[in-house]
Amino acid sequence: KVLVGNLIGEDHVNYVLMYNMLTGIRIAVSRCQAKNKRQLTNQDFTAQHKYSFDIIGNELTPSAKYDFKFKDYAPWVFRELREDYFQLDPADYLLSLTAKYILSELGSPGKSGSFFYFSRDYRFIIKTIRHSEHKFLLSILKEYYAHVKSNPHTLLSRFYGLHRVKLPRGRKIHFVIMNNLFPSHKDIHETYDLKGSTVGRIYSEEKAKQNPRAVLKDLNWINRGKMLELGPEKRALLSEQIRRDSEFLKTVYVMDYSLLVGVHFVQRGNRDKVRSNTLKVFSPSVPAIRRKNTQHKGARSPEAMAVKRAMRESDPKRLGSDTFNLPEEYTGDRQQFIFYQDEGGLQATDEANQATDTIYYLGIIDILTPYSTVKHLEHCWKGLKADRHKISPVPPQEYADRFFSFMKATMRGGDGGARFKAE
Ligand code: ATP
Ligand code: CA
Ligand code: CA
């Protein structure tokens, strides 16, 4: 399948940022990966590795096109999360992200001002985050790690890395790398972002008709009479996992997260060629790897070799077109996870647990907003004439309970088939 996007050349405002992000990831991750695996220590959760890049290069970092600094946070923790719990192949991870310097930018960033970039193969998302979100993730990293460890099938965002790029003038950009819930090989026909709240949670149906990629909300879901069509088995599994995940989110005191649901109708197939958001393709300029003094120990590990090979083989020419090729086939890389085992998602089932012709791609996203931040935002809004109770956030406890009961009630057959009632 080919998705059309706008090729963004090296003159794109975020080209340098992308270059720096990918160069930093490439060097920092392969550096950690080249070492022998070892037991995590307490210090690993607060560790920060700094790298300094410039056009000349040194023993630690190869020459880069631009001057910038890069910080890798808790590299050993994320390595273990990736390899032991999220079952990512180490070489694969690096290659997907950095073998070619291609990222695509998600159409329009959310209200938060975050930018989203898809890896070339659509498997990974880089999301720029606020400094507060960054600090927050670090502060709950231990709890997050423990939760993932005891919940291999968690629906929470899978964080694969936490990094920072510092540009010469001092601008700092924090970002996480996480799983793209949506597959590259299946059209997503409808997308919903569900919070379990109904106040203001609607996207204009009029506009939705024009834009099949629109992200719809709770009221659209309810008004359209949607349910998660799952038979007793999957219903029980999913609702138990959402219960555990929302309990976790309660304990770390966050809110404002949502269940992102992408729906694929098997009958309709891929004829609309609607994946997710429009892909804008950055110029695939190849990284300058003039490896001068870069022969460091460990560079010969299998992962490092795989990366080097991919670097050599990557096409140094520009794509010369504004199309973007996505993998046609499901790579099978999520098979071991209950909720991602059917074509990378969760196939709907009937009351006899027989598969029906819908596949859901779902997960709990945007989990880095602690209550304190929301309270602060609320404070900023006070001066505005907005209806206070509409924007007033509910505390994490209430948020989680409301979230869970909404999800439970919206599973066909759940709660005796009761429909969630709009307030
Ligand atoms: P806000 O705080 O205003 O909600 P945000 O910038 O924090 O915005 P998110 O809520 O994290 O953004 O995500 C915005 C949209 O990006 C989602 O509705 C979804 O369409 C897409 N998205 C986010 N995370 C993922 C993911 N892991 N997989 C697929 N799509 C995602
Ligand atoms: Ca959100
Ligand atoms: Ca957010």
Side-chain angles (χ1 to χ4, degrees):
K1 286 281 172 295
V2 173
L3 284 187
V4 178
N6 308 325
L7 180 70
I8 299 180
E10 293 180 30
D11 52 340
H12 185 268
V13 281
N14 288 331
Y15 177 78
V16 174
L17 174 62
M18 177 209 62
Y19 177 95
N20 295 350
M21 290 195 299
L22 294 186
T23 304
I25 293 168
R26 185 166 58 93
I27 300 308
V29 173
S30 52
R31 189 66 41 85
C32 179
Q33 219 71 62
K35 295 182 184 139
N36 286 330
K37 206 118 173 254
R38 57 163 175 77
Q39 284 266 298
L40 287 185
T41 65
N42 265 336
Q43 284 84 344
D44 286 326
F45 287 87
T46 50
Q48 310 184 349
H49 293 191
K50 289 182 187 170
Y51 298 85
S52 187
F53 291 87
D54 56 45
I55 51 174
I56 298 174
N58 56 47
E59 327 76 77
L60 272 180
T61 54
S63 65
K65 286 211 293 199
Y66 311 99
D67 289 358
F68 68 97
K69 293 198 164 46
F70 188 86
K71 239 187 200 181
D72 191 8
Y73 295 86
W76 286 91
V77 175
F78 285 105
R79 177 184 177 181
E80 187 161 319
L81 281 170
R82 288 193 305 270
E83 289 178 17
D84 296 358
Y85 305 109
F86 298 143
Q87 315 279 342
L88 284 184
D89 178 76
D92 242 31
Y93 177 67
L94 268 178
L95 289 173
S96 294
L97 282 164
T98 69
K100 282 189 183 177
Y101 276 24
I102 304 177
L103 288 180
S104 51
E105 198 175 41
L106 196 139
S108 67
K111 266 181 285 168
S112 72
S114 288
F115 284 86
F116 292 79
Y117 301 96
F118 294 107
S119 66
R120 180 173 60 104
D121 58 8
Y122 210 57
R123 282 173 67 198
F124 304 110
I125 292 180
I126 295 177
K127 178 184 181 183
T128 63
I129 55 175
R130 289 203 191 95
H131 190 207
S132 60
E133 292 177 294
H134 168 97
K135 281 190 292 193
F136 181 70
L137 177 53
L138 277 181
S139 76
I140 61 155
L141 191 55
K142 255 203 174 134
E143 288 84 357
Y144 174 80
Y145 171 85
H147 181 76
V148 168
K149 198 168 171 178
S150 51
N151 290 274
H153 300 288
T154 181
L155 296 156
L156 298 183
S157 285
R158 289 156 191 245
F159 295 122
Y160 301 135
L162 175 65
H163 313 283
R164 186 188 86 181
V165 161
K166 191 161 121 198
L167 302 170
R169 288 240 226 86
R171 214 174 122 222
K172 294 170 184 163
I173 291 119
H174 301 90
F175 60 99
V176 284
I177 301 162
M178 59 186 185
N179 58 323
N180 183 1
L181 287 165
F182 296 165
S184 64
H185 70 301
K186 296 270 180 225
D187 281 359
I188 294 298
H189 298 118
E190 292 170 12
T191 307
Y192 298 89
D193 182 286
L194 306 174
K195 291 188 175 175
S197 139
T198 51
V199 182
R201 299 285 300 158
I202 191 150
Y203 182 93
S204 151
E205 286 288 350
E206 208 44 54
K207 282 195 212 156
K209 273 196 210 107
Q210 316 295 320
N211 178 15
R213 288 167 181 147
V215 180
L216 308 174
K217 299 181 182 178
D218 302 64
L219 281 175
N220 303 93
W221 177 268
I222 293 167
N223 295 344
R224 289 178 175 201
K226 299 293 266 185
M227 305 281 285
L228 285 170
E229 315 271 349
L230 299 171
E233 263 173 28
K234 285 185 174 173
R235 201 156 66 216
L237 288 168
L238 185 68
S239 110
E240 173 59 11
Q241 192 58 58
I242 295 179
R243 190 189 65 75
R244 291 192 198 186
D245 289 340
S246 55
E247 280 304 314
F248 166 77
L249 295 168
K250 213 188 259 185
T251 63
V252 295
Y253 231 59
V254 293
M255 45 179 301
D256 218 36
Y257 47 86
S258 40
L259 185 77
L260 183 67
V261 183
V263 187
H264 172 81
F265 301 111
V266 178
Q267 294 288 316
R268 210 159 126 195
N270 278 347
R271 73 187 124 91
D272 309 349
K273 296 192 171 54
V274 180
R275 289 303 192 275
S276 178
N277 294 266
T278 312
L279 296 183
K280 290 183 183 168
V281 182
F282 277 102
S283 162
S285 159
V286 149
I289 31 167
R290 277 163 277 142
R291 291 181 173 273
K292 278 185 188 149
N293 318 312
T294 57
Q295 286 310 337
H296 52 84
K297 273 185 251 109
R300 260 172 244 102
S301 75
E303 291 83 12
M305 295 302 281
V307 173
K308 277 189 178 172
R309 205 174 319 117
M311 294 301 174
R312 270 201 308 275
E313 287 161 7
S314 59
D315 181 6
K317 291 186 296 280
R318 281 164 167 269
L319 273 183
S321 100
D322 59 352
T323 57
F324 193 74
N325 289 298
L326 288 174
E328 240 6 92
E329 303 286 316
Y330 172 49
T331 53
D333 60 338
R334 302 188 200 164
Q335 220 105 59
Q336 59 275 65
F337 299 111
I338 299 175
F339 305 114
Y340 304 105
Q341 64 182 339
D342 310 317
E343 297 281 341
L346 181 69
Q347 183 137 21
T349 49
D350 60 18
E351 283 306 303
N353 298 313
Q354 296 303 303
T356 64
D357 84 333
T358 302
I359 304 176
Y360 299 112
Y361 292 90
L362 44 81
I364 301 174
I365 62 158
D366 206 7
I367 61 169
L368 298 179
T369 314
Y371 186 48
S372 54
T373 319
V374 186
K375 284 305 261 185
H376 178 74
L377 286 180
E378 180 199 29
H379 183 76
C380 298
W381 276 326
K382 260 189 190 161
L384 304 174
K385 270 269 187 275
D387 193 342
R388 277 299 303 282
H389 75 267
K390 281 192 185 164
I391 56 170
S392 182
V394 297
Q397 167 102 25
E398 214 178 309
Y399 192 93
D401 292 342
R402 188 180 66 183
F403 182 81
F404 176 59
S405 26
F406 181 94
M407 300 316 156
K408 205 164 143 60
T410 205
M411 292 180 208
R412 169 100 51 218
D415 282 358
R419 280 278 308 281
F420 183 86
K421 295 271 188 312
E423 287 146 21

